């Protein structure tokens, strides 16, 4: 399955995998708000046996098939909280 990988501007080391046939504008509003500006970093032909650095390729594929996107969180779940509206 072909997918595009985007870096999320609002969180270091958070990446969004998006099925190639989907437009980022079709993603849930809350996800887009949390991710911030998306910068495409890679196009990938994802196969079940492919090794990925931080996530299981089969889990990514299952999520891409189910809803079209997969959010890779930073290592150890270290998500930065944004506590003000000016963000």
């Amino acid at each position: 399955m072909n997918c595009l990988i985007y870096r999320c501007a609002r969180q270091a080391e958070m990446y969004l995998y998006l099925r190639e046939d989907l437009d980022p504008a079709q993603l849930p509003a809350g996800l887009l708000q949390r991710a911030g500006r998306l910068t495409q970093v890679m196009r990938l032909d994802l196969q079940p046996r492919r090794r990925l650095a931080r996530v299981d390729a089969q889990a990514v594929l299952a999520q891409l098939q189910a809803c079209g996107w997969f959010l890779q969180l930073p290592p150890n779940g270290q998500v930065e909280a944004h506590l003000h509206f000016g963000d």
Side-chain angles (χ1 to χ4, degrees), residues 2-71:
N2 290 324
C3 68
L4 301 173
I5 302 173
Y6 294 88
R7 179 181 309 119
C8 301
R10 295 185 86 194
Q11 172 67 53
E13 298 188 59
M14 188 163 72
Y15 294 90
L16 178 69
Y17 292 69
L18 186 63
R19 203 171 58 215
E20 190 173 44
D21 64 334
L22 291 180
D23 182 345
Q26 295 174 295
L27 295 171
L31 174 62
L32 290 174
Q33 181 182 10
R34 179 65 188 121
R37 190 182 82 247
L38 298 173
T39 305
Q40 184 179 335
V41 293
M42 182 184 300
R43 172 175 268 134
L44 183 64
D45 180 17
L46 190 56
Q47 303 296 324
R49 290 186 165 186
R50 183 170 187 126
R51 295 187 64 158
L52 298 173
R54 294 192 176 151
V55 292
D56 177 50
Q58 290 185 10
V60 175
L61 279 169
Q63 188 74 16
L64 289 174
Q65 289 172 346
C67 67
W69 59 273
F70 175 85
L71 185 62

